[in-house]
């Protein structure tokens, strides 16, 4: 009688393989969520496109800052761009999971771009708070309530700038660490 064959012994996965697979799977989940959010945003922009939100705001005596006008005028384009970037990120994450060199390189490019965009968005915080202050009439800002509002807006501005800077630094450190790990020889050897 012939002895039963034992199943092949699985070789243990290397730390590099585990790192790449976990990173790719997490990125796939994030990309899928970004695509769902982008689709939701497209539907919302299409529905709200039938309503003139800025006209409604102005009819109630509130001035509309230029930033909000620009965002409303380009809402559909911004939503489509976000969807396209999310789909590209999904493809790059899939390439990373399948150990394709283009996936590794594309993922590194995304890491660097996101880190840079986090820092580039910091000045937008200041313009957002300026826009919020511009929504109130100058006469109101001279009253006691207006002075209190300006103090609150200034406090909010500094809190937002500090937390935004800390977040940008933290993401830059994380993304830098990931880029360094993806450049290591043992990780690069996995990619074709």
């Amino acid at each position: 009688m012939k002895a039963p064959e034992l199943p092949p012994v699985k070789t243990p996965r290397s730390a590099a393989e585990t790192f790449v697979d976990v990173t790719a799977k997490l990125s796939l989940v994030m990309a899928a969520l970004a695509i769902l959010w982008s689709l939701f945003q497209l539907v919302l922009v299409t529905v709200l496109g039938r309503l003139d939100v800025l006209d409604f705001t102005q009819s109630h005596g509130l001035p509309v800052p230029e930033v909000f006008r620009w965002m409303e005028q380009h809402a559909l384009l911004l939503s489509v761009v976000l969807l396209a970037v999310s789909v590209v990120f999904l493809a790059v994450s899939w390439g990373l999971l399948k150990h394709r060199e283009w996936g590794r390189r594309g993922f590194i490019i995304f890491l660097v771009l996101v880190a840079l965009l986090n820092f580039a968005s910091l000045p937008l915080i200041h313009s957002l708070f300026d826009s919020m202050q511009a929504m109130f009439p100058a006469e109101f800002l001279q009253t006691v309530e207006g002075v209190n509002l300006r103090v609150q807006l200034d406090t909010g501005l500094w809190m937002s700038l500090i937390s935004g800077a800390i977040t940008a630094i933290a993401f830059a450190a994380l993304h830098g660490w990931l880029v360094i790990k993806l450049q290591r020889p043992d990780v690069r050897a996995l990619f074709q």
Side-chain angles (χ1 to χ4, degrees), residues 17-35 86 89-94 96-98 107 111 171 174-175 177-178:
E17 288 174 305
T18 303
F19 164 74
V20 169
D21 290 349
V22 168
T23 302
K25 287 176 183 176
L26 286 173
S27 299
L28 283 168
V29 170
M30 291 183 343
L33 290 174
I35 289 171
S86 300
F89 184 62
L90 181 74
V92 165
S93 298
W94 182 256
L96 186 69
L97 182 66
K98 294 300 180 181
F107 195 78
L111 289 171
F171 272 100
L174 173 64
H175 288 195
W177 176 76
L178 287 169

Side-chain angles (χ1 to χ4, degrees), residues 9-61:
V9 177
K10 286 186 177 180
T11 57
R13 295 174 54 85
S14 71
E17 288 174 305
T18 303
F19 164 74
V20 169
D21 290 349
V22 168
T23 302
K25 287 176 183 176
L26 286 173
S27 299
L28 283 168
V29 170
M30 291 183 343
L33 290 174
I35 289 171
L36 289 174
W37 174 255
S38 300
L39 291 172
F40 171 74
Q41 186 173 319
L42 273 172
V43 169
L44 192 62
V45 165
T46 304
V47 168
L48 290 180
R50 300 180 197 285
L51 305 171
D52 192 350
V53 178
L54 296 183
D55 187 44
F56 175 79
T57 305
Q58 287 176 325
S59 69
H60 284 80

Side-chain angles (χ1 to χ4, degrees), residues 107-119:
F107 195 78
I108 288 171
I109 290 169
F110 264 97
L111 289 171
V112 171
L113 288 178
V114 168
L116 292 174
L117 284 173
N118 284 334
F119 285 105

Side-chain angles (χ1 to χ4, degrees), residues 96-176:
L96 186 69
L97 182 66
K98 294 300 180 181
H99 297 183
R100 301 290 185 256
E101 180 62 17
W102 60 265
R104 186 185 72 81
R105 288 182 186 206
F107 195 78
I108 288 171
I109 290 169
F110 264 97
L111 289 171
V112 171
L113 288 178
V114 168
L116 292 174
L117 284 173
N118 284 334
F119 285 105
S121 67
L122 289 177
L124 296 177
I125 294 172
H126 200 284
S127 64
L128 176 66
F129 277 86
D130 285 346
S131 297
M132 286 193 291
Q133 186 169 329
M135 293 177 74
F136 297 94
E139 301 81 36
F140 171 76
L141 294 175
Q142 301 306 318
T143 66
V144 173
E145 294 87 6
V147 170
N148 288 336
L149 175 69
R150 285 189 304 185
V151 168
Q152 289 176 3
L153 286 174
D154 286 345
T155 303
L157 168 65
W158 283 106
M159 296 290 288
S160 297
L161 285 172
I162 290 168
S163 63
I166 290 170
T167 302
I169 291 168
F171 272 100
L174 173 64
H175 288 195

